[in-house]
Amino acid sequence: LAKTTQPISMDSYEGQEVNITCSHNNIATNDYITWYQQFPSQGPRFIIQGYKTKVTNEVASLFIPADRKSSTLSLPRVSLSDTAVYYCLVGPLTGTASKLTFGTGTRLQVTL
Amino acid sequence: NAGVTQTPKFRILKIGQSMTLQCTQDMNHNYMYWYRQDPGMGLKLIYYSVGAGITDKGEVPNGYNVSRSTTEDFPLRLELAAPSQTSVYFCASSYSMVAGSNEQFFGPGTRLTVL
């Protein structure tokens, strides 16, 4: 079961690029990396998912080095509305769901 | 589509009482999940289901029961409520567990307090 480690909190100013790193040293060969965003009093929302190298969508990029022992979620030009908790998940996507684990996440605070 | 809906939004139980948290999804998803989230913590998987009639335990199943008689509904039953079950409960669903179609869609949550 891949354990993840993220910074507890981060602060940023509006308009800056924010990079949140997740460490997952014991990631398995068939594990994918998924990031979710959670606003207060709401359920998490899927942001992005990847296996290796770089993945980009309309809201974020995910960078995964060759050894896959870490990953970085990149949020370009954050706004106040990006203030939320961000979770990194590592787990097999063709096996049992019982191995899915949300860590404590990274609390991002964006200010003017 | 309403997505994933949960009822009730809030509930206060006395120790020893029982209740059922309701969860319904209208996306024809095969997979459904129940999580609990304690204050300041991440989500922990309680139970999940891969389809009607099939359920399995997650990380923290003790004190809970589930059933999946239809694709749409996945109720969570608390028997003999205890203060340790005070938490926010989230239901989620996904089409599958395969990359590309495994995005989980979450409901708004049920805030449960056991006194």
Side-chain angles (χ1 to χ4, degrees):
Chain A
L1 184 62
K3 178 180 170 61
T4 60
T5 303
Q6 302 174 231
I8 294 175
S9 64
M10 296 181 67
D11 295 308
S12 178
Y13 292 108
E14 197 172 43
Q16 289 188 327
E17 178 185 74
V18 171
N19 295 308
I20 305 174
T21 298
C22 179
S23 174
H24 29 79
N25 290 321
N26 60 339
I27 188 169
T29 302
N30 63 341
D31 284 344
Y32 274 72
I33 300 154
T34 310
W35 285 81
Y36 281 80
Q37 175 192 56
Q38 185 179 27
F39 297 114
S41 302
Q42 294 185 23
R45 185 177 69 174
F46 176 92
I47 301 175
I48 199 166
Q49 181 179 83
Y51 183 80
K52 62 180 179 180
T53 62
K54 177 183 175 182
V55 179
T56 297
N57 62 23
E58 63 275 10
V59 298
S61 294
L62 178 59
F63 298 93
I64 305 169
D67 66 6
R68 304 200 328 122
K69 294 184 182 298
S70 67
S71 59
T72 299
L73 174 72
S74 181
L75 304 173
R77 296 181 299 282
V78 296
S79 65
L80 296 177
S81 63
D82 292 315
T83 294
V85 178
Y86 293 82
Y87 295 98
C88 165
L89 274 75
V90 174
L93 297 183
T94 56
T96 173
S98 65
K99 293 187 182 298
L100 288 176
T101 302
F102 282 77
T104 53
T106 298
R107 189 174 302 273
L108 173 65
Q109 179 69 51
V110 181
T111 55
L112 291 174
Chain B
N1 287 349
V4 179
T5 57
Q6 294 182 238
T7 57
K9 291 185 178 180
F10 304 92
R11 183 71 184 268
I12 298 175
L13 285 181
K14 294 182 179 179
I15 295 172
Q17 287 186 319
S18 300
M19 76 164 294
T20 299
L21 281 66
Q22 301 292 343
C23 175
T24 300
Q25 54 92 8
D26 63 359
M27 296 172 283
N28 201 31
H29 283 171
N30 296 311
Y31 283 71
M32 295 188 75
Y33 315 82
W34 274 107
Y35 294 90
R36 61 174 287 172
Q37 184 173 35
D38 297 333
M41 305 297 288
L43 284 75
K44 293 185 177 181
L45 184 65
I46 304 172
Y47 272 95
Y48 69 99
S49 169
V50 304
I54 306 171
T55 63
D56 206 348
K57 297 177 180 178
E59 182 183 0
V60 290
N62 292 341
Y64 307 93
N65 281 299
V66 293
S67 60
R68 183 98 181 267
S69 58
T70 67
T71 299
E72 295 79 19
D73 301 307
F74 190 40
L76 177 71
R77 178 80 177 165
L78 278 72
E79 304 283 2
L80 299 174
S84 61
Q85 293 178 304
T86 294
S87 190
V88 179
Y89 291 84
F90 289 103
C91 178
S93 72
S94 67
Y95 181 72
S96 78
M97 282 287 286
V98 176
S101 60
N102 67 321
E103 174 184 346
Q104 291 190 41
F105 294 83
F106 283 80
T110 294
R111 186 175 298 274
L112 175 67
T113 301
V114 181
L115 301 174

